[in-house]
Amino acid sequence: MTERTSYREAVAAGMLPSEESHRALLQSIVDVARAIFDAKAASIFLLDADADELVFEAISGEGEGDLIGMRIPSGTGIAGWVLVTGQPIVIDDLSRDPRHARETAASTGYVPKSLMAVPLVNGETSLGVLQVLDRSTDRAFSLGEIDLLILFANQASIGLDLLQTSRRARAVADLGEGGPAVVARIAALLEETEDETAGLRLLEALEAVLARLAS
Amino acid sequence: MSERLIPAWSLTAEAAGSIGIPAEWPERVTRGWALDGATGEGVDVCILDSGVDGDHPLVGGLESAVAVHLEGDEVVVGPDLLGDVCGHGTACAGIVRSLAPACRLHSVRVLGEGNTGSADLILGGLRHAIEQGFEVVNLSLSTTKRRFAELLHELADAAYFRGTVLVASAHNLPVESYPWRFSSVISVGSHEGTDSFEWFANPHPPVEFFARGIDIDVAWAGGSTLRCTGNSFAAPHVAGLSALVISKHPGLTPFQLKSILYLTASNTGGPT
């Protein structure tokens, strides 16, 4: 991250909505995905690129509330395969895969019979994986179901991208005593001040002085 | 496995008479001519994926298995000590075996090391598979990383010119991904039928063919079978069909093979 970007992200951090509102967006996506497919559960994994692990970011249904923050390796298992290959997959009769049954039971206490998984991609960056577990079998499965899941995945990708941008911006603001942190604090104070006009006039005067220094 | 040919950059008048290519093509290319009696015997098919469980009864043995991993920044190919880290590679191998029972299957594992560096491993694994001279390589994977596109493109063209058929599963996500978009590979999406010998030529590329990709009982890890759906299962159907055609008509180039698949597709030549 360049210093110039840091300052801009610092300003953004001072004005961004809270982490909670992004979480609510992701929760809404998994809730709706679960409802559309009449499924027992839906979840979003976010890739932690530094640790190279997948993190449970949002869950609706079975495991809700207990599993947020749980981590799994990004290179193995079905979610890892979907993340790395970028290919959506639908699997039925999962309980017949002994390794999957053992691993998921150990981590979630719940072994799904079926799974739909689609990669979450923003541009060329892999962000994570959206899964729908135990969809209703009342209607015949078709390729249209995957297309529908992909539409949701696209929405989830946008949500995840916002979340990650927000976290990066917040990390800049939380750097401590550095320049970007000061800028972020000014942005936050400006938002909170009752006399915003006076604050803006002061900053405009400062801008004029800095512009003269820069020229 | 085919030998590397020496490229010719021009054609002299004397040489023109000596490069006759044996043409034993029928007036009409039919499925009977292309496939009847074919078993895949003598054809090497590589599964570039999560590894393959060679002991699975539906896979029926592997000729070779290697794994690609990173040592620092260097891509290294070594013996595969883990086998299938997901189950998907075993599924693809089983599909190829079900169509081409006598082919020789090889596994190049490019997954299992996490997301970091995964595109490097796919590139390294593909380069290795092309160097081995496998006639068919199944790629049920893709990368969205733009900086790898040019290298992948060069590899796909190298495979095309030396006679290695790359079969790649197409994406149905609204993102740019590779290598399935390249014209030097055979790209495959899914149709909703349940016949493994039904395939369609797509008049509206970049996806070139549609093959069986829905509700397939596939081999999976630990000797199990699962019912699966996805384009990644359509690709090995075309890889298996390719092995059949090549076993009956050795020496076909990827260009010729793609033409045969086109001429005998269910919506062109049909099952005659």
Side-chain angles (χ1 to χ4, degrees), chain B residues 144-180:
Chain B
T144 51
K145 295 184 174 64
R146 184 88 212 151
R147 67 193 172 93
F148 289 92
E150 191 176 336
L151 291 168
L152 264 178
H153 206 157
E154 287 171 9
L155 274 180
D157 280 355
Y160 181 87
F161 288 126
R162 72 173 290 165
T164 293
V165 174
L166 304 184
V167 184
S169 58
H171 236 166
N172 38 13
L173 295 173
V175 291
E176 289 278 325
S177 63
Y178 322 93
W180 69 271

PDB file of all heavy atoms in Angstrom, chain B residues 144-180:
ATOM      1  N   THR B 144      -8.243 -17.106 -12.500  1.00  0.00           N
ATOM      2  CA  THR B 144      -8.698 -15.772 -12.888  1.00  0.00           C
ATOM      3  C   THR B 144      -7.537 -14.778 -12.896  1.00  0.00           C
ATOM      4  O   THR B 144      -7.732 -13.615 -13.216  1.00  0.00           O
ATOM      5  CB  THR B 144      -9.766 -15.254 -11.894  1.00  0.00           C
ATOM      6  OG1 THR B 144      -9.247 -15.394 -10.571  1.00  0.00           O
ATOM      7  CG2 THR B 144     -11.060 -16.021 -12.019  1.00  0.00           C
ATOM      8  N   LYS B 145      -6.338 -15.249 -12.533  1.00  0.00           N
ATOM      9  CA  LYS B 145      -5.202 -14.333 -12.389  1.00  0.00           C
ATOM     10  C   LYS B 145      -4.632 -13.958 -13.751  1.00  0.00           C
ATOM     11  O   LYS B 145      -4.059 -14.772 -14.452  1.00  0.00           O
ATOM     12  CB  LYS B 145      -4.147 -14.964 -11.484  1.00  0.00           C
ATOM     13  CG  LYS B 145      -4.668 -15.149 -10.068  1.00  0.00           C
ATOM     14  CD  LYS B 145      -3.620 -15.680  -9.124  1.00  0.00           C
ATOM     15  CE  LYS B 145      -4.145 -15.711  -7.696  1.00  0.00           C
ATOM     16  NZ  LYS B 145      -5.265 -16.634  -7.528  1.00  0.00           N
ATOM     17  N   ARG B 146      -4.815 -12.701 -14.083  1.00  0.00           N
ATOM     18  CA  ARG B 146      -4.507 -12.183 -15.407  1.00  0.00           C
ATOM     19  C   ARG B 146      -3.030 -12.387 -15.781  1.00  0.00           C
ATOM     20  O   ARG B 146      -2.706 -12.672 -16.926  1.00  0.00           O
ATOM     21  CB  ARG B 146      -4.873 -10.694 -15.399  1.00  0.00           C
ATOM     22  CG  ARG B 146      -4.746  -9.950 -16.657  1.00  0.00           C
ATOM     23  CD  ARG B 146      -5.967  -9.988 -17.552  1.00  0.00           C
ATOM     24  NE  ARG B 146      -5.509  -9.937 -18.937  1.00  0.00           N
ATOM     25  CZ  ARG B 146      -6.130 -10.459 -19.961  1.00  0.00           C
ATOM     26  NH1 ARG B 146      -7.249 -11.079 -19.789  1.00  0.00           N
ATOM     27  NH2 ARG B 146      -5.639 -10.392 -21.167  1.00  0.00           N
ATOM     28  N   ARG B 147      -2.145 -12.237 -14.800  1.00  0.00           N
ATOM     29  CA  ARG B 147      -0.722 -12.297 -15.159  1.00  0.00           C
ATOM     30  C   ARG B 147      -0.302 -13.711 -15.567  1.00  0.00           C
ATOM     31  O   ARG B 147       0.781 -13.902 -16.121  1.00  0.00           O
ATOM     32  CB  ARG B 147       0.159 -11.773 -14.015  1.00  0.00           C
ATOM     33  CG  ARG B 147       0.161 -12.612 -12.775  1.00  0.00           C
ATOM     34  CD  ARG B 147       0.788 -11.853 -11.614  1.00  0.00           C
ATOM     35  NE  ARG B 147       0.628 -12.577 -10.370  1.00  0.00           N
ATOM     36  CZ  ARG B 147       1.528 -13.406  -9.888  1.00  0.00           C
ATOM     37  NH1 ARG B 147       2.650 -13.614 -10.535  1.00  0.00           N
ATOM     38  NH2 ARG B 147       1.307 -14.028  -8.748  1.00  0.00           N
ATOM     39  N   PHE B 148      -1.154 -14.720 -15.290  1.00  0.00           N
ATOM     40  CA  PHE B 148      -0.824 -16.071 -15.709  1.00  0.00           C
ATOM     41  C   PHE B 148      -1.423 -16.405 -17.070  1.00  0.00           C
ATOM     42  O   PHE B 148      -1.111 -17.435 -17.652  1.00  0.00           O
ATOM     43  CB  PHE B 148      -1.320 -17.097 -14.682  1.00  0.00           C
ATOM     44  CG  PHE B 148      -0.542 -17.064 -13.403  1.00  0.00           C
ATOM     45  CD1 PHE B 148      -0.959 -16.277 -12.342  1.00  0.00           C
ATOM     46  CD2 PHE B 148       0.626 -17.803 -13.269  1.00  0.00           C
ATOM     47  CE1 PHE B 148      -0.237 -16.233 -11.170  1.00  0.00           C
ATOM     48  CE2 PHE B 148       1.357 -17.756 -12.104  1.00  0.00           C
ATOM     49  CZ  PHE B 148       0.930 -16.966 -11.045  1.00  0.00           C
ATOM     50  N   ALA B 149      -2.311 -15.519 -17.563  1.00  0.00           N
ATOM     51  CA  ALA B 149      -3.026 -15.823 -18.805  1.00  0.00           C
ATOM     52  C   ALA B 149      -2.065 -15.990 -19.974  1.00  0.00           C
ATOM     53  O   ALA B 149      -2.196 -16.924 -20.765  1.00  0.00           O
ATOM     54  CB  ALA B 149      -4.037 -14.715 -19.090  1.00  0.00           C
ATOM     55  N   GLU B 150      -1.072 -15.080 -20.070  1.00  0.00           N
ATOM     56  CA  GLU B 150      -0.174 -15.137 -21.218  1.00  0.00           C
ATOM     57  C   GLU B 150       0.670 -16.417 -21.187  1.00  0.00           C
ATOM     58  O   GLU B 150       0.835 -17.089 -22.209  1.00  0.00           O
ATOM     59  CB  GLU B 150       0.733 -13.903 -21.214  1.00  0.00           C
ATOM     60  CG  GLU B 150       1.509 -13.743 -22.496  1.00  0.00           C
ATOM     61  CD  GLU B 150       2.331 -12.468 -22.518  1.00  0.00           C
ATOM     62  OE1 GLU B 150       1.973 -11.518 -21.786  1.00  0.00           O
ATOM     63  OE2 GLU B 150       3.321 -12.442 -23.256  1.00  0.00           O
ATOM     64  N   LEU B 151       1.171 -16.775 -19.989  1.00  0.00           N
ATOM     65  CA  LEU B 151       1.965 -17.997 -19.871  1.00  0.00           C
ATOM     66  C   LEU B 151       1.119 -19.232 -20.183  1.00  0.00           C
ATOM     67  O   LEU B 151       1.562 -20.160 -20.860  1.00  0.00           O
ATOM     68  CB  LEU B 151       2.546 -18.112 -18.456  1.00  0.00           C
ATOM     69  CG  LEU B 151       3.616 -17.084 -18.105  1.00  0.00           C
ATOM     70  CD1 LEU B 151       3.897 -17.097 -16.610  1.00  0.00           C
ATOM     71  CD2 LEU B 151       4.891 -17.382 -18.886  1.00  0.00           C
ATOM     72  N   LEU B 152      -0.124 -19.240 -19.675  1.00  0.00           N
ATOM     73  CA  LEU B 152      -1.019 -20.365 -19.943  1.00  0.00           C
ATOM     74  C   LEU B 152      -1.320 -20.461 -21.439  1.00  0.00           C
ATOM     75  O   LEU B 152      -1.387 -21.562 -21.994  1.00  0.00           O
ATOM     76  CB  LEU B 152      -2.340 -20.172 -19.186  1.00  0.00           C
ATOM     77  CG  LEU B 152      -2.498 -20.866 -17.843  1.00  0.00           C
ATOM     78  CD1 LEU B 152      -3.839 -20.500 -17.239  1.00  0.00           C
ATOM     79  CD2 LEU B 152      -2.374 -22.384 -17.971  1.00  0.00           C
ATOM     80  N   HIS B 153      -1.489 -19.300 -22.058  1.00  0.00           N
ATOM     81  CA  HIS B 153      -1.775 -19.275 -23.496  1.00  0.00           C
ATOM     82  C   HIS B 153      -0.623 -19.893 -24.280  1.00  0.00           C
ATOM     83  O   HIS B 153      -0.824 -20.693 -25.197  1.00  0.00           O
ATOM     84  CB  HIS B 153      -2.004 -17.829 -23.930  1.00  0.00           C
ATOM     85  CG  HIS B 153      -2.874 -17.706 -25.141  1.00  0.00           C
ATOM     86  ND1 HIS B 153      -3.576 -16.578 -25.448  1.00  0.00           N
ATOM     87  CD2 HIS B 153      -3.163 -18.596 -26.125  1.00  0.00           C
ATOM     88  CE1 HIS B 153      -4.269 -16.772 -26.561  1.00  0.00           C
ATOM     89  NE2 HIS B 153      -4.020 -17.990 -26.986  1.00  0.00           N
ATOM     90  N   GLU B 154       0.606 -19.511 -23.894  1.00  0.00           N
ATOM     91  CA  GLU B 154       1.783 -20.073 -24.574  1.00  0.00           C
ATOM     92  C   GLU B 154       1.837 -21.582 -24.391  1.00  0.00           C
ATOM     93  O   GLU B 154       2.132 -22.329 -25.327  1.00  0.00           O
ATOM     94  CB  GLU B 154       3.068 -19.434 -24.027  1.00  0.00           C
ATOM     95  CG  GLU B 154       3.262 -18.003 -24.500  1.00  0.00           C
ATOM     96  CD  GLU B 154       4.405 -17.306 -23.781  1.00  0.00           C
ATOM     97  OE1 GLU B 154       5.147 -17.984 -23.036  1.00  0.00           O
ATOM     98  OE2 GLU B 154       4.539 -16.084 -23.945  1.00  0.00           O
ATOM     99  N   LEU B 155       1.544 -22.046 -23.178  1.00  0.00           N
ATOM    100  CA  LEU B 155       1.564 -23.493 -22.911  1.00  0.00           C
ATOM    101  C   LEU B 155       0.482 -24.213 -23.716  1.00  0.00           C
ATOM    102  O   LEU B 155       0.711 -25.292 -24.261  1.00  0.00           O
ATOM    103  CB  LEU B 155       1.339 -23.760 -21.421  1.00  0.00           C
ATOM    104  CG  LEU B 155       2.559 -23.731 -20.515  1.00  0.00           C
ATOM    105  CD1 LEU B 155       2.147 -24.021 -19.082  1.00  0.00           C
ATOM    106  CD2 LEU B 155       3.603 -24.743 -20.980  1.00  0.00           C
ATOM    107  N   ALA B 156      -0.714 -23.613 -23.770  1.00  0.00           N
ATOM    108  CA  ALA B 156      -1.816 -24.236 -24.503  1.00  0.00           C
ATOM    109  C   ALA B 156      -1.467 -24.352 -25.987  1.00  0.00           C
ATOM    110  O   ALA B 156      -1.733 -25.383 -26.619  1.00  0.00           O
ATOM    111  CB  ALA B 156      -3.093 -23.422 -24.314  1.00  0.00           C
ATOM    112  N   ASP B 157      -0.834 -23.315 -26.535  1.00  0.00           N
ATOM    113  CA  ASP B 157      -0.429 -23.377 -27.946  1.00  0.00           C
ATOM    114  C   ASP B 157       0.681 -24.411 -28.143  1.00  0.00           C
ATOM    115  O   ASP B 157       0.698 -25.131 -29.143  1.00  0.00           O
ATOM    116  CB  ASP B 157       0.036 -21.995 -28.424  1.00  0.00           C
ATOM    117  CG  ASP B 157      -1.130 -21.082 -28.777  1.00  0.00           C
ATOM    118  OD1 ASP B 157      -2.285 -21.564 -28.729  1.00  0.00           O
ATOM    119  OD2 ASP B 157      -0.896 -19.912 -29.096  1.00  0.00           O
ATOM    120  N   ALA B 158       1.622 -24.474 -27.185  1.00  0.00           N
ATOM    121  CA  ALA B 158       2.692 -25.467 -27.289  1.00  0.00           C
ATOM    122  C   ALA B 158       2.097 -26.875 -27.317  1.00  0.00           C
ATOM    123  O   ALA B 158       2.508 -27.735 -28.102  1.00  0.00           O
ATOM    124  CB  ALA B 158       3.665 -25.314 -26.116  1.00  0.00           C
ATOM    125  N   ALA B 159       1.105 -27.114 -26.451  1.00  0.00           N
ATOM    126  CA  ALA B 159       0.450 -28.422 -26.419  1.00  0.00           C
ATOM    127  C   ALA B 159      -0.233 -28.710 -27.748  1.00  0.00           C
ATOM    128  O   ALA B 159      -0.110 -29.804 -28.308  1.00  0.00           O
ATOM    129  CB  ALA B 159      -0.581 -28.461 -25.284  1.00  0.00           C
ATOM    130  N   TYR B 160      -0.921 -27.705 -28.260  1.00  0.00           N
ATOM    131  CA  TYR B 160      -1.658 -27.849 -29.522  1.00  0.00           C
ATOM    132  C   TYR B 160      -0.717 -28.262 -30.645  1.00  0.00           C
ATOM    133  O   TYR B 160      -1.021 -29.155 -31.434  1.00  0.00           O
ATOM    134  CB  TYR B 160      -2.333 -26.508 -29.829  1.00  0.00           C
ATOM    135  CG  TYR B 160      -3.164 -26.462 -31.078  1.00  0.00           C
ATOM    136  CD1 TYR B 160      -4.501 -26.831 -31.061  1.00  0.00           C
ATOM    137  CD2 TYR B 160      -2.602 -26.021 -32.278  1.00  0.00           C
ATOM    138  CE1 TYR B 160      -5.279 -26.763 -32.211  1.00  0.00           C
ATOM    139  CE2 TYR B 160      -3.374 -25.957 -33.429  1.00  0.00           C
ATOM    140  CZ  TYR B 160      -4.703 -26.321 -33.393  1.00  0.00           C
ATOM    141  OH  TYR B 160      -5.466 -26.253 -34.525  1.00  0.00           O
ATOM    142  N   PHE B 161       0.455 -27.620 -30.723  1.00  0.00           N
ATOM    143  CA  PHE B 161       1.357 -27.889 -31.842  1.00  0.00           C
ATOM    144  C   PHE B 161       2.128 -29.196 -31.667  1.00  0.00           C
ATOM    145  O   PHE B 161       2.572 -29.778 -32.648  1.00  0.00           O
ATOM    146  CB  PHE B 161       2.331 -26.717 -32.032  1.00  0.00           C
ATOM    147  CG  PHE B 161       1.646 -25.505 -32.596  1.00  0.00           C
ATOM    148  CD1 PHE B 161       1.740 -24.273 -31.962  1.00  0.00           C
ATOM    149  CD2 PHE B 161       0.888 -25.592 -33.755  1.00  0.00           C
ATOM    150  CE1 PHE B 161       1.084 -23.165 -32.478  1.00  0.00           C
ATOM    151  CE2 PHE B 161       0.236 -24.486 -34.274  1.00  0.00           C
ATOM    152  CZ  PHE B 161       0.336 -23.272 -33.638  1.00  0.00           C
ATOM    153  N   ARG B 162       2.295 -29.663 -30.440  1.00  0.00           N
ATOM    154  CA  ARG B 162       3.020 -30.925 -30.311  1.00  0.00           C
ATOM    155  C   ARG B 162       2.079 -32.113 -30.169  1.00  0.00           C
ATOM    156  O   ARG B 162       2.526 -33.240 -29.995  1.00  0.00           O
ATOM    157  CB  ARG B 162       4.064 -30.865 -29.206  1.00  0.00           C
ATOM    158  CG  ARG B 162       3.537 -30.870 -27.803  1.00  0.00           C
ATOM    159  CD  ARG B 162       4.691 -30.977 -26.806  1.00  0.00           C
ATOM    160  NE  ARG B 162       5.324 -32.292 -26.836  1.00  0.00           N
ATOM    161  CZ  ARG B 162       6.498 -32.570 -26.298  1.00  0.00           C
ATOM    162  NH1 ARG B 162       7.203 -31.621 -25.741  1.00  0.00           N
ATOM    163  NH2 ARG B 162       6.990 -33.787 -26.327  1.00  0.00           N
ATOM    164  N   GLY B 163       0.799 -31.886 -30.253  1.00  0.00           N
ATOM    165  CA  GLY B 163      -0.128 -33.017 -30.340  1.00  0.00           C
ATOM    166  C   GLY B 163      -0.738 -33.449 -29.029  1.00  0.00           C
ATOM    167  O   GLY B 163      -1.230 -34.575 -28.917  1.00  0.00           O
ATOM    168  N   THR B 164      -0.702 -32.592 -28.022  1.00  0.00           N
ATOM    169  CA  THR B 164      -1.366 -32.903 -26.758  1.00  0.00           C
ATOM    170  C   THR B 164      -2.713 -32.184 -26.715  1.00  0.00           C
ATOM    171  O   THR B 164      -2.762 -30.955 -26.851  1.00  0.00           O
ATOM    172  CB  THR B 164      -0.503 -32.457 -25.559  1.00  0.00           C
ATOM    173  OG1 THR B 164       0.679 -33.255 -25.521  1.00  0.00           O
ATOM    174  CG2 THR B 164      -1.249 -32.621 -24.248  1.00  0.00           C
ATOM    175  N   VAL B 165      -3.781 -32.964 -26.535  1.00  0.00           N
ATOM    176  CA  VAL B 165      -5.124 -32.378 -26.500  1.00  0.00           C
ATOM    177  C   VAL B 165      -5.423 -31.913 -25.074  1.00  0.00           C
ATOM    178  O   VAL B 165      -5.372 -32.717 -24.137  1.00  0.00           O
ATOM    179  CB  VAL B 165      -6.178 -33.422 -26.934  1.00  0.00           C
ATOM    180  CG1 VAL B 165      -7.584 -32.860 -26.767  1.00  0.00           C
ATOM    181  CG2 VAL B 165      -5.940 -33.855 -28.365  1.00  0.00           C
ATOM    182  N   LEU B 166      -5.702 -30.626 -24.902  1.00  0.00           N
ATOM    183  CA  LEU B 166      -6.088 -30.107 -23.586  1.00  0.00           C
ATOM    184  C   LEU B 166      -7.603 -29.954 -23.560  1.00  0.00           C
ATOM    185  O   LEU B 166      -8.172 -29.242 -24.393  1.00  0.00           O
ATOM    186  CB  LEU B 166      -5.435 -28.744 -23.313  1.00  0.00           C
ATOM    187  CG  LEU B 166      -3.908 -28.658 -23.398  1.00  0.00           C
ATOM    188  CD1 LEU B 166      -3.445 -27.258 -22.991  1.00  0.00           C
ATOM    189  CD2 LEU B 166      -3.241 -29.701 -22.522  1.00  0.00           C
ATOM    190  N   VAL B 167      -8.249 -30.627 -22.601  1.00  0.00           N
ATOM    191  CA  VAL B 167      -9.703 -30.518 -22.457  1.00  0.00           C
ATOM    192  C   VAL B 167      -9.967 -29.749 -21.166  1.00  0.00           C
ATOM    193  O   VAL B 167      -9.550 -30.192 -20.086  1.00  0.00           O
ATOM    194  CB  VAL B 167     -10.362 -31.909 -22.396  1.00  0.00           C
ATOM    195  CG1 VAL B 167     -11.877 -31.757 -22.334  1.00  0.00           C
ATOM    196  CG2 VAL B 167      -9.958 -32.747 -23.606  1.00  0.00           C
ATOM    197  N   ALA B 168     -10.631 -28.596 -21.276  1.00  0.00           N
ATOM    198  CA  ALA B 168     -10.786 -27.713 -20.109  1.00  0.00           C
ATOM    199  C   ALA B 168     -12.256 -27.426 -19.832  1.00  0.00           C
ATOM    200  O   ALA B 168     -13.032 -27.172 -20.758  1.00  0.00           O
ATOM    201  CB  ALA B 168     -10.041 -26.398 -20.343  1.00  0.00           C
ATOM    202  N   SER B 169     -12.616 -27.471 -18.560  1.00  0.00           N
ATOM    203  CA  SER B 169     -14.004 -27.169 -18.202  1.00  0.00           C
ATOM    204  C   SER B 169     -14.240 -25.667 -18.261  1.00  0.00           C
ATOM    205  O   SER B 169     -13.423 -24.874 -17.782  1.00  0.00           O
ATOM    206  CB  SER B 169     -14.340 -27.722 -16.817  1.00  0.00           C
ATOM    207  OG  SER B 169     -13.476 -27.197 -15.857  1.00  0.00           O
ATOM    208  N   ALA B 170     -15.371 -25.286 -18.854  1.00  0.00           N
ATOM    209  CA  ALA B 170     -15.705 -23.872 -19.017  1.00  0.00           C
ATOM    210  C   ALA B 170     -16.261 -23.316 -17.715  1.00  0.00           C
ATOM    211  O   ALA B 170     -16.745 -24.050 -16.857  1.00  0.00           O
ATOM    212  CB  ALA B 170     -16.718 -23.707 -20.136  1.00  0.00           C
ATOM    213  N   HIS B 171     -16.190 -22.003 -17.604  1.00  0.00           N
ATOM    214  CA  HIS B 171     -16.695 -21.299 -16.432  1.00  0.00           C
ATOM    215  C   HIS B 171     -18.111 -20.827 -16.697  1.00  0.00           C
ATOM    216  O   HIS B 171     -18.413 -20.398 -17.790  1.00  0.00           O
ATOM    217  CB  HIS B 171     -15.830 -20.067 -16.179  1.00  0.00           C
ATOM    218  CG  HIS B 171     -15.257 -20.032 -14.808  1.00  0.00           C
ATOM    219  ND1 HIS B 171     -14.246 -19.196 -14.457  1.00  0.00           N
ATOM    220  CD2 HIS B 171     -15.570 -20.713 -13.704  1.00  0.00           C
ATOM    221  CE1 HIS B 171     -13.946 -19.368 -13.190  1.00  0.00           C
ATOM    222  NE2 HIS B 171     -14.739 -20.286 -12.715  1.00  0.00           N
ATOM    223  N   ASN B 172     -18.955 -20.844 -15.693  1.00  0.00           N
ATOM    224  CA  ASN B 172     -20.239 -20.158 -15.859  1.00  0.00           C
ATOM    225  C   ASN B 172     -20.379 -19.023 -14.862  1.00  0.00           C
ATOM    226  O   ASN B 172     -21.471 -18.644 -14.480  1.00  0.00           O
ATOM    227  CB  ASN B 172     -21.420 -21.125 -15.778  1.00  0.00           C
ATOM    228  CG  ASN B 172     -21.198 -22.197 -14.737  1.00  0.00           C
ATOM    229  OD1 ASN B 172     -20.291 -22.088 -13.927  1.00  0.00           O
ATOM    230  ND2 ASN B 172     -22.025 -23.217 -14.734  1.00  0.00           N
ATOM    231  N   LEU B 173     -19.237 -18.484 -14.457  1.00  0.00           N
ATOM    232  CA  LEU B 173     -19.224 -17.295 -13.595  1.00  0.00           C
ATOM    233  C   LEU B 173     -18.969 -16.060 -14.464  1.00  0.00           C
ATOM    234  O   LEU B 173     -18.314 -16.158 -15.482  1.00  0.00           O
ATOM    235  CB  LEU B 173     -18.102 -17.387 -12.562  1.00  0.00           C
ATOM    236  CG  LEU B 173     -18.192 -18.489 -11.524  1.00  0.00           C
ATOM    237  CD1 LEU B 173     -16.905 -18.522 -10.719  1.00  0.00           C
ATOM    238  CD2 LEU B 173     -19.366 -18.272 -10.612  1.00  0.00           C
ATOM    239  N   PRO B 174     -19.478 -14.910 -14.036  1.00  0.00           N
ATOM    240  CA  PRO B 174     -19.259 -13.702 -14.832  1.00  0.00           C
ATOM    241  C   PRO B 174     -17.874 -13.114 -14.615  1.00  0.00           C
ATOM    242  O   PRO B 174     -17.728 -11.943 -14.292  1.00  0.00           O
ATOM    243  CB  PRO B 174     -20.357 -12.763 -14.324  1.00  0.00           C
ATOM    244  CG  PRO B 174     -20.577 -13.187 -12.913  1.00  0.00           C
ATOM    245  CD  PRO B 174     -20.310 -14.659 -12.854  1.00  0.00           C
ATOM    246  N   VAL B 175     -16.829 -13.951 -14.773  1.00  0.00           N
ATOM    247  CA  VAL B 175     -15.456 -13.465 -14.617  1.00  0.00           C
ATOM    248  C   VAL B 175     -14.616 -14.006 -15.769  1.00  0.00           C
ATOM    249  O   VAL B 175     -14.961 -15.012 -16.375  1.00  0.00           O
ATOM    250  CB  VAL B 175     -14.819 -13.942 -13.284  1.00  0.00           C
ATOM    251  CG1 VAL B 175     -15.479 -13.273 -12.112  1.00  0.00           C
ATOM    252  CG2 VAL B 175     -14.862 -15.450 -13.154  1.00  0.00           C
ATOM    253  N   GLU B 176     -13.505 -13.312 -16.066  1.00  0.00           N
ATOM    254  CA  GLU B 176     -12.561 -13.795 -17.065  1.00  0.00           C
ATOM    255  C   GLU B 176     -11.711 -14.868 -16.424  1.00  0.00           C
ATOM    256  O   GLU B 176     -11.144 -14.648 -15.353  1.00  0.00           O
ATOM    257  CB  GLU B 176     -11.658 -12.649 -17.524  1.00  0.00           C
ATOM    258  CG  GLU B 176     -12.345 -11.608 -18.367  1.00  0.00           C
ATOM    259  CD  GLU B 176     -12.445 -12.032 -19.833  1.00  0.00           C
ATOM    260  OE1 GLU B 176     -11.516 -12.682 -20.325  1.00  0.00           O
ATOM    261  OE2 GLU B 176     -13.478 -11.715 -20.458  1.00  0.00           O
ATOM    262  N   SER B 177     -11.624 -16.041 -17.044  1.00  0.00           N
ATOM    263  CA  SER B 177     -10.760 -17.078 -16.488  1.00  0.00           C
ATOM    264  C   SER B 177     -10.155 -17.897 -17.628  1.00  0.00           C
ATOM    265  O   SER B 177     -10.620 -17.857 -18.758  1.00  0.00           O
ATOM    266  CB  SER B 177     -11.533 -17.968 -15.517  1.00  0.00           C
ATOM    267  OG  SER B 177     -12.566 -18.642 -16.189  1.00  0.00           O
ATOM    268  N   TYR B 178      -9.103 -18.637 -17.288  1.00  0.00           N
ATOM    269  CA  TYR B 178      -8.301 -19.350 -18.281  1.00  0.00           C
ATOM    270  C   TYR B 178      -7.941 -20.727 -17.719  1.00  0.00           C
ATOM    271  O   TYR B 178      -7.907 -20.894 -16.514  1.00  0.00           O
ATOM    272  CB  TYR B 178      -7.018 -18.556 -18.562  1.00  0.00           C
ATOM    273  CG  TYR B 178      -7.250 -17.069 -18.586  1.00  0.00           C
ATOM    274  CD1 TYR B 178      -7.068 -16.301 -17.429  1.00  0.00           C
ATOM    275  CD2 TYR B 178      -7.706 -16.432 -19.736  1.00  0.00           C
ATOM    276  CE1 TYR B 178      -7.323 -14.939 -17.430  1.00  0.00           C
ATOM    277  CE2 TYR B 178      -7.956 -15.067 -19.740  1.00  0.00           C
ATOM    278  CZ  TYR B 178      -7.759 -14.332 -18.591  1.00  0.00           C
ATOM    279  OH  TYR B 178      -8.022 -12.987 -18.593  1.00  0.00           O
ATOM    280  N   PRO B 179      -7.641 -21.742 -18.544  1.00  0.00           N
ATOM    281  CA  PRO B 179      -7.341 -21.689 -19.978  1.00  0.00           C
ATOM    282  C   PRO B 179      -8.524 -22.016 -20.885  1.00  0.00           C
ATOM    283  O   PRO B 179      -8.348 -22.053 -22.093  1.00  0.00           O
ATOM    284  CB  PRO B 179      -6.274 -22.785 -20.123  1.00  0.00           C
ATOM    285  CG  PRO B 179      -6.727 -23.838 -19.151  1.00  0.00           C
ATOM    286  CD  PRO B 179      -7.314 -23.074 -17.988  1.00  0.00           C
ATOM    287  N   TRP B 180      -9.712 -22.215 -20.346  1.00  0.00           N
ATOM    288  CA  TRP B 180     -10.781 -22.736 -21.205  1.00  0.00           C
ATOM    289  C   TRP B 180     -11.141 -21.790 -22.342  1.00  0.00           C
ATOM    290  O   TRP B 180     -11.630 -22.226 -23.371  1.00  0.00           O
ATOM    291  CB  TRP B 180     -12.024 -23.054 -20.363  1.00  0.00           C
ATOM    292  CG  TRP B 180     -12.715 -21.837 -19.817  1.00  0.00           C
ATOM    293  CD1 TRP B 180     -12.457 -21.212 -18.640  1.00  0.00           C
ATOM    294  CD2 TRP B 180     -13.761 -21.101 -20.455  1.00  0.00           C
ATOM    295  NE1 TRP B 180     -13.276 -20.118 -18.498  1.00  0.00           N
ATOM    296  CE2 TRP B 180     -14.096 -20.033 -19.595  1.00  0.00           C
ATOM    297  CE3 TRP B 180     -14.461 -21.229 -21.652  1.00  0.00           C
ATOM    298  CZ2 TRP B 180     -15.080 -19.102 -19.901  1.00  0.00           C
ATOM    299  CZ3 TRP B 180     -15.449 -20.301 -21.966  1.00  0.00           C
ATOM    300  CH2 TRP B 180     -15.750 -19.258 -21.085  1.00  0.00           C
TER     301      TRP B 180
END
